[in-house]
Amino acid sequence: MPPVDTLPGAAPAGTDGAGAAAALRDFAAALDACHELAGPGALVSSPGGWAVASAGRLPEGAPVPGGSDALAVTGSGVPSSDRARELFADGLLRLHRELLRGLLDAAVVRLGDRTSEGANLLNRQLVQSAVADVALALTEAADLLAIPDRTAARRHRIHRGLVDAGRVAIKLYGASGFVADGPGRLLYLAELLGNTYLLPDRRERDEDGNE
């Protein structure tokens, strides 16, 4: 199986219905690949006992809000093993990072092709500052993911950094970043998944209080 960061799903969703649907299917396939990291055919449940995967992997699951029937969720109440959740979490974080990287790259190309009052939008100081902030968050996430023996608190820190940077990146698209089929949709789903799978419990937060 190819690594998660080379799987489909990293490109931002198109603004047309067909492009958005294709991007969502790719995202669902990449999410299933995160489950596969825990083992062939695995379905990893969160600390709260919830599992989210493609609708094909969870045919009896309930639709995920915003997932247009491509994603499904089910709750057994029983979390997967610590090791399975760690492997899944690392894959999910890499997927989230690749989504954000693809969205930033597309935003830079888009802004480079646009002008306002005779000036290229990419040359504006506020735009350059936003691009730099997102790029820095991507670098920090990569560095933290490269550290061995990652803790639950560190994974949650990476998640929060990607969420915050994603909200900056979406603004680079203007109003189109917030439409239902816009580029922000997949980042919203990545945030939802991270909030489901990556929140450390009280014991883990106490143990990693210095994170």
Side-chain angles (χ1 to χ4, degrees):
M1 184 186 72
V4 170
D5 56 7
T6 66
L7 289 171
T15 55
D16 63 291
L24 194 53
R25 288 194 299 271
D26 288 346
F27 178 82
L31 178 60
D32 284 351
C34 294
H35 286 286
E36 287 290 321
L37 291 174
L43 183 64
V44 180
S45 295
S46 72
W50 296 98
V52 184
S54 72
R57 201 178 189 93
L58 275 177
E60 303 301 323
V64 172
S68 292
D69 297 326
L71 301 177
V73 58
T74 186
S76 68
V78 179
S80 294
S81 67
D82 289 347
R83 182 56 178 163
R85 288 191 286 115
E86 288 169 358
L87 291 169
F88 178 86
D90 287 342
L92 185 59
L93 286 170
R94 291 189 177 96
L95 173 58
H96 193 166
R97 182 182 178 277
E98 288 303 307
L99 285 170
L100 180 56
R101 188 183 72 175
L103 188 142
L104 178 64
D105 289 347
V108 168
V109 171
R110 180 175 182 272
L111 291 168
D113 291 337
R114 298 196 173 197
T115 59
S116 177
E117 298 178 353
N120 188 292
L121 291 178
L122 195 56
N123 291 330
R124 290 188 172 182
Q125 184 175 358
L126 288 177
V127 171
Q128 291 181 343
S129 176
V131 170
D133 286 344
V134 178
L136 181 61
L138 288 168
T139 299
E140 180 181 41
D143 290 343
L144 289 172
L145 282 168
I147 297 174
D149 300 322
R150 287 174 290 277
T151 62
R154 183 176 294 130
R155 289 185 179 94
H156 190 248
R157 173 183 169 184
I158 298 169
H159 168 64
R160 290 308 315 170
L162 291 172
V163 167
D164 292 344
R167 294 180 180 182
V168 173
I170 286 299
K171 294 178 182 178
L172 295 172
Y173 285 81
S176 66
F178 298 91
V179 299
D181 289 337
R185 184 184 202 179
L186 298 185
L187 285 184
Y188 161 77
L189 290 172
E191 178 178 347
L192 178 67
L193 285 163
N195 290 342
T196 301
Y197 280 94
L198 300 176
L199 182 64
D201 61 25
R202 181 179 298 276
R203 174 184 57 79
E204 290 166 328
R205 290 196 299 270
D206 290 342
E207 290 176 355
D208 296 295
N210 61 336
E211 289 290 336

